[in-house]
Amino acid sequence: MAAAAERGPAAGAPAGVPLCGVGIGWRPEIAGVVEGLPGLGFCEVVAEAVPAAPSRGVTELRERPGALRGLAAGVAVVPHGVRLGLGDADGVAPERVAHLAACARMFGSPLVSEHVAFVRAAGREAGHLLPLPRTREALDVLTENVRRTTAELGVPLALEPIAALFDWPDDEYTEGDFLTELLDRTGTLLLLDVANLYANARNRGQDPSAVLDRMPLDRVAYVHMAGGAVHPDDPTGLYHDTHQNPVPDEVLTLLAEVRERSAAPAVMLERDGRYPPAAELRAELDALATAAHLPPPT
């Protein structure tokens, strides 16, 4: 199995994925900031936050307070699923796949994204994105669920490896090799969350650059960036991917390294709480642009 380093760096995003520039994850709390970003490259929306059957489609959503207000016309929108459960042993629910596909059609999206994770088992909801064991059996289940999903979507699917606070015993693959095999089997793309990669490497006692060596960087559709922290009352000293803290310098440095290796042209900021003043949020977006050598969205 060829690792990314053995294939050589890619010249840009995979063919057919027209995402570029600096983007942001849309949240109602920062809709006004999003609306005021003249150079925004794209926007990501949580698919489960999109109403199942908006009566007038995307135009109404963009104008409805509290819905998806602030999404500028002409800016690419990527639906980002969080509840599909591609790793669920019971399979993916057809209605969840249908909703993801409907979101892509409504927004005219160039692609959609979901997580390499499971979220339920034996009919019980976990309430979290949980890591899969990196075994052949789990890979078979994941492959089948991804194939069922992509058959219905109508647009490319990008898969995001999650930040995990634990690993299952007896893994048969490294994370990079597991992802490479999955993408080879399914023809899907990679949503590379640099913050997740940093968190996992730090908590596992690994070198993030060495982990990056084995990632299929030639398949990167776009990149997530987010902040994290070590909770002062956590005796384990684990780094948590909070999405509520500024992006640390170490993660910005890793983003610059990703750009040097793969030239992925689309990078976005995720923020899910403790929203800073607008000026600080714009400065954080500019910092991402600087690290990735992209035009600032502000």
Side-chain angles (χ1 to χ4, degrees), residues 28 33 41 68 88 95 101 106 113 121 138 144 149 161 180 183 207 234 283:
V33 178
L68 297 179
D88 292 359
E95 64 273 16
M106 184 176 65
S113 57
E144 180 60 24
T149 300
T180 299
L183 302 191
D207 176 6
D234 183 357

Side-chain angles (χ1 to χ4, degrees), residues 130-282:
L130 296 173
L132 291 170
R134 293 190 294 274
T135 62
R136 292 176 179 84
E137 184 178 13
L139 183 58
D140 289 342
V141 169
L142 183 60
T143 297
E144 180 60 24
N145 286 341
V146 169
R147 286 174 175 166
R148 289 178 182 175
T149 300
T150 55
E152 303 296 329
L153 287 179
V155 295
L157 173 65
L159 300 174
E160 177 187 355
I162 66 171
L165 293 177
F166 68 93
D167 289 310
W168 297 97
D170 303 321
D171 283 340
E172 297 171 312
Y173 297 86
T174 66
E175 185 168 34
D177 289 348
F178 187 82
L179 291 169
T180 299
E181 179 71 17
L182 174 62
L183 302 191
D184 283 345
R185 288 187 183 192
T186 61
T188 47
L189 304 170
L190 178 64
L191 166 48
L192 180 64
D193 192 312
V194 174
N196 288 354
L197 188 149
Y198 171 78
N200 289 342
R202 174 169 171 164
N203 290 338
R204 293 167 180 162
Q206 299 171 336
D207 176 6
S209 294
V211 175
L212 203 57
D213 284 339
R214 301 208 64 84
M215 287 289 169
L217 297 180
D218 56 333
R219 315 286 184 86
V220 174
Y222 66 111
V223 170
H224 273 180
M225 295 287 288
V230 176
H231 297 324
D233 57 348
D234 183 357
T236 67
L238 289 172
Y239 179 89
H240 293 261
D241 178 49
T242 64
H243 293 192
Q244 296 183 357
N245 299 82
V247 178
D249 290 342
E250 295 87 347
V251 178
L252 288 171
T253 299
L254 198 57
L255 171 61
E257 189 173 340
V258 169
R259 285 286 287 165
E260 290 170 3
R261 296 185 187 210
S262 69
V267 178
M268 61 155 278
L269 176 66
E270 288 187 292
R271 191 82 184 215
D272 290 302
R274 296 182 186 172
Y275 299 100
E280 291 183 23
L281 195 61
R282 288 194 292 266

Side-chain angles (χ1 to χ4, degrees), residues 19-68:
L19 286 183
C20 61
V22 175
I24 193 168
W26 185 92
R27 305 292 185 268
E29 295 86 352
I30 56 173
V33 178
V34 174
E35 195 170 9
L37 295 172
L40 190 68
F42 65 103
C43 204
E44 184 188 80
V45 299
V46 175
E48 287 79 1
V50 178
S55 59
R56 296 183 183 176
V58 67
T59 300
E60 179 188 330
L61 288 176
R62 283 179 169 140
E63 295 174 353
R64 184 192 302 167
L68 297 179

